[in-house]
Amino acid sequence: MADIAQSQASANERKSGSAWLAKSGDRLLPLLAAVGMLVLWQLIIWIFSIRPFIMPGPIAVLGAFIEDGPKLWLNFWLTFLEAALGFIFGNLIAILMAVAFVHNRTSERAFFPIAVFINTIPIIAVAPILVLIFGNGYSPKIIIAALICFFPTLVNMVRGLKAVNPATLDLMRVLSASDAEIFWKVRLQSSLPFLFAALKIAATTCVVGAIVAEWIGSNYGLGALILLASYNYHAPLLYASVFSASLLAVFLFAMVSFAERRMIKWKTPAVH
Amino acid sequence: MATMHAVKDAVSAEAETAFAVRVDGLDVTFGEGETAVTALRDVNVDIPEGALVTMLGPSGCGKSTLLRAIADLVPASRGEIKVHERTPEEARKARDFAFVFQDATLLPWRSAIDNVRLPLEVGNPGPAHADPMELLELVGLKGREKALPGELSGGMRQRVAIARALVTRPRILLMDEPFGALDEIARDNLNEELLRIWTETGTTILFVTHSIPEAVFLGQKVLLLAAHPGRVKEYMTVDLPYPRQLPVRDTVEFIKITAHLRKMLEEC
Ligand SMILES: Nc1ncnc2c1ncn2[C@@H]1O[C@H](COP(=O)(O)OP(=O)(O)O)[C@@H](O)[C@H]1O
Ligand SMILES: [Mg+2]
């Protein structure tokens, strides 16, 4: 009896031990893989003696990060501002429009085709038009970042607001709940998983929007820096700018994920 | 408890008009023209005040439809329904009845206690309501009030749904296969507890099930529906005294009644 208890205990110990290893491995493994790839990259540069203006090694890129640090940092924040404002406006308008669509079928029938049409215009094609209209300032960048966020959020939010369990609607009817009460107590909450699925997409695409807008007409921001560096064959700076842009997207994505974990504590049904 | 039922019986014998629900010549048809489905035809039923009536019938015979018509979730195509002498709509607005669905339909982002409170936050709940905490205790969920539905078992979720239904002190409880998705042990437990709640609260209960033993164990009366079109096949009184405990299901009387109902069901 005691034997069994003992072996049970040591089995548990082993299990929790290997669980700990697996858990830290989850974080360690990708880190090791990343370091390995950087080393491989640097080795290829050395072995084939690739010249830095064709492809710089990680050490050269790190040098650019240090040398042009203040410049990268400043332009990082400018692009961040454009992307974040575009993210906020684009998603806010999409959410409000989705609410209107769900409350009023006529508005959905009237405006949804227009939304689909706007979505079919390639963002790169609209950018010059907006730059012509609004000039070289912040506004065309914010608008393009907003445009690129808008459609996926609109579609997902409409789906989310409608994806209420019919039995729950029966329950609310038995309780004689008003449409407003159903909206605030049921629809809004049950749309959150759908909304956050869209916001995670938007967190990365709004950065793309801001950078594309900066390419068309701008002398600041990571997009402008990317163009400038490539014109000057300053490859290390080019790579550093590209990495900064992707860090920006990762940062926004992490913020959305954090908000999601704070706001949705319940087990969500699978959202596709 | 025995005296309470004696009083109940005396009252219903004395005043024949004390009905919680009266269904008179009810037809319910879905759709129009060639594709129309007649779910119920000429249904006449009276549910006495304070009774526990169980409803049985083959699947698709219109049990849910009858319950939903009483709850003002489905309109009557012909005939009349009176809930305490009012139309279903008036009764719904007055919170005369509460509905318990097959899946608990809890809001997954709300804790158990907040789900029980939901009926007090929407519509016109009226002044007379029970203490949500006491109700959770009544259904045996003391200490789990902060749990989210995702953290509770199917049986516990259904207990929360029952507490939620009771919070506005409804006079009638409409239950559509509330324990249909539960395993047998959870179902047995909840059957006993439902009987206890019924005797403690005096609520009229109309309970849909597809289990013959469950219908007989719970019901004062069993309403048997036949299909195509949905109609009343039999409305019988179960002659088994309360309080009933689970072993009653092994008695000869009980088995006789279930055998009779099984035979009737086969004819449906
Ligand atoms: N909303 C609806 N629209 C069309 N037909 C329905 C609807 N609800 C129920 N029916 C039909 O009415 C009949 C009775 O259904 P229901 O009351 O759900 O049966 P039960 O609950 O006894 O299984 C079935 O034939 C079903 O297909
Ligand atoms: Mg049914």
Side-chain angles (χ1 to χ4, degrees), chain B residues 164-184:
Chain B
R164 177 180 64 190
L166 294 173
V167 76
T168 47
R169 293 194 198 282
R171 293 165 73 191
I172 305 170
L173 211 48
L174 305 170
M175 309 179 87
D176 193 356
E177 302 194 23
F179 310 142
L182 304 183
D183 62 78
E184 207 159 319

Side-chain angles (χ1 to χ4, degrees), chain B residues 135-210:
Chain B
L135 281 177
L136 277 183
E137 216 175 310
L138 178 74
V139 297
L141 280 179
K142 195 178 176 195
R144 299 307 307 270
E145 59 273 357
K146 294 255 168 59
L148 291 173
E151 299 159 359
L152 298 172
S153 70
M156 287 171 163
R157 282 201 290 274
Q158 208 51 269
R159 286 164 194 264
V160 176
I162 291 170
R164 177 180 64 190
L166 294 173
V167 76
T168 47
R169 293 194 198 282
R171 293 165 73 191
I172 305 170
L173 211 48
L174 305 170
M175 309 179 87
D176 193 356
E177 302 194 23
F179 310 142
L182 304 183
D183 62 78
E184 207 159 319
I185 294 168
R187 176 187 276 232
D188 285 351
N189 282 336
L190 278 165
N191 277 339
E192 278 195 309
E193 287 199 23
L194 185 68
L195 283 184
R196 205 194 61 204
I197 289 168
W198 175 58
T199 36
E200 275 178 33
T201 61
T203 314
T204 306
I205 299 180
L206 185 51
F207 185 103
V208 172
T209 174
H210 56 237

Side-chain angles (χ1 to χ4, degrees), chain A residues 170 173 175 185 266-267, chain B residues 68 72 95 109 121 123 150:
Chain A
D170 283 343
R173 184 178 156 83
L175 296 175
K185 305 252 177 214
W266 39 289
K267 269 193 211 122
Chain B
R68 294 167 67 83
D72 192 35
R95 294 286 172 90
W109 50 86
E121 296 172 12

Side-chain angles (χ1 to χ4, degrees), chain A residues 248-264:
Chain A
L248 172 49
V250 167
F251 177 56
L252 284 173
F253 187 89
M255 289 212 313
V256 173
S257 298
F258 176 74
E260 182 183 27
R261 275 199 303 277
R262 291 296 302 269
M263 289 181 72
I264 310 179

Side-chain angles (χ1 to χ4, degrees), chain A residues 165 167-178 181-182 185-191 265-267 269, chain B residues 68 71-73 92-93 95 97-99 101 103 105 107-110 118-119 121-124 148 150 164:
Chain A
N165 181 355
T168 303
L169 291 180
D170 283 343
L171 169 75
M172 296 306 274
R173 184 178 156 83
V174 169
L175 296 175
S176 306
S178 67
E181 284 167 338
I182 294 174
K185 305 252 177 214
V186 179
R187 287 193 192 281
L188 205 57
Q189 284 278 359
S190 59
S191 75
K265 295 232 164 72
W266 39 289
K267 269 193 211 122
Chain B
R68 294 167 67 83
D72 192 35
L73 288 171
R92 164 170 66 80
K93 289 195 173 139
R95 294 286 172 90
F97 55 78
F99 208 108
F101 299 87
D103 58 345
T105 62
L107 300 180
W109 50 86
R110 282 181 168 236
L118 178 73
E121 296 172 12
V122 299
N124 277 320
L148 291 173
R164 177 180 64 190

Side-chain angles (χ1 to χ4, degrees), chain A residues 3-261:
Chain A
D3 264 10
I4 293 170
Q6 211 153 27
S7 68
Q8 195 82 18
S10 67
N12 280 344
E13 228 161 76
R14 242 176 290 137
K15 223 184 276 165
S16 67
S18 65
W20 179 83
L21 208 69
K23 205 172 168 194
S24 60
D26 272 354
R27 261 172 267 153
L28 216 62
L29 225 55
L31 209 68
L32 281 175
V35 171
M37 280 177 67
L38 285 176
V39 169
L40 189 69
W41 177 11
Q42 189 63 56
L43 283 177
I44 289 172
I45 301 286
W46 279 334
I47 291 166
F48 298 99
S49 32
I50 297 169
R51 276 174 299 171
F53 66 86
I54 293 176
M55 185 166 141
I59 292 172
V61 174
L62 193 67
F65 263 113
I66 292 164
E67 193 181 323
D68 291 315
K71 198 198 277 178
L72 279 165
W73 188 239
L74 177 69
N75 288 295
F76 177 90
W77 281 109
L78 290 171
T79 303
F80 171 80
L81 203 71
E82 295 163 354
L85 285 175
F87 178 89
I88 291 167
F89 285 126
N91 287 310
L92 205 64
I93 293 168
I95 291 167
L96 292 177
M97 209 162 189
V99 171
F101 280 6
V102 169
H103 272 257
N104 185 336
R105 285 304 308 268
T106 323
S107 71
E108 179 172 10
R109 279 207 299 275
F111 290 106
F112 196 70
I114 299 175
V116 173
F117 173 71
I118 290 173
N119 185 49
T120 58
I121 307 173
I123 228 62
I124 308 223
V126 228
I129 298 174
L130 289 170
V131 171
L132 273 186
I133 298 172
F134 294 101
N136 263 346
Y138 288 113
S139 38
K141 286 102 190 172
I142 295 170
I143 293 171
I144 289 164
L147 264 180
I148 215 168
C149 298
F150 170 76
F151 194 74
T153 302
L154 174 69
V155 172
N156 256 34
M157 190 68 188
V158 168
R159 272 209 332 166
L161 288 172
K162 286 182 178 171
V164 177
N165 181 355
T168 303
L169 291 180
D170 283 343
L171 169 75
M172 296 306 274
R173 184 178 156 83
V174 169
L175 296 175
S176 306
S178 67
D179 282 349
E181 284 167 338
I182 294 174
F183 178 78
W184 289 111
K185 305 252 177 214
V186 179
R187 287 193 192 281
L188 205 57
Q189 284 278 359
S190 59
S191 75
L192 285 183
F194 292 81
L195 174 63
F196 274 103
L199 291 186
K200 280 182 181 162
I201 299 170
T204 51
T205 55
C206 70
V207 178
V208 175
I211 285 177
V212 165
E214 285 168 354
W215 278 350
I216 307 295
S218 185
N219 32 34
Y220 61 80
L222 289 175
L225 208 58
I226 287 169
L227 277 193
L228 194 74
S230 66
Y231 285 151
N232 295 340
Y233 292 97
H234 192 347
L237 180 61
L238 173 62
Y239 277 62
S241 310
V242 171
F243 276 122
S244 301
S246 99
L247 275 179
L248 172 49
V250 167
F251 177 56
L252 284 173
F253 187 89
M255 289 212 313
V256 173
S257 298
F258 176 74
E260 182 183 27
R261 275 199 303 277

Side-chain angles (χ1 to χ4, degrees), chain B residues 58-65 68 102 176-177 208 210:
Chain B
S59 120
C61 71
K63 304 182 292 295
S64 298
T65 304
R68 294 167 67 83
Q102 173 159 11
D176 193 356
E177 302 194 23
V208 172
H210 56 237

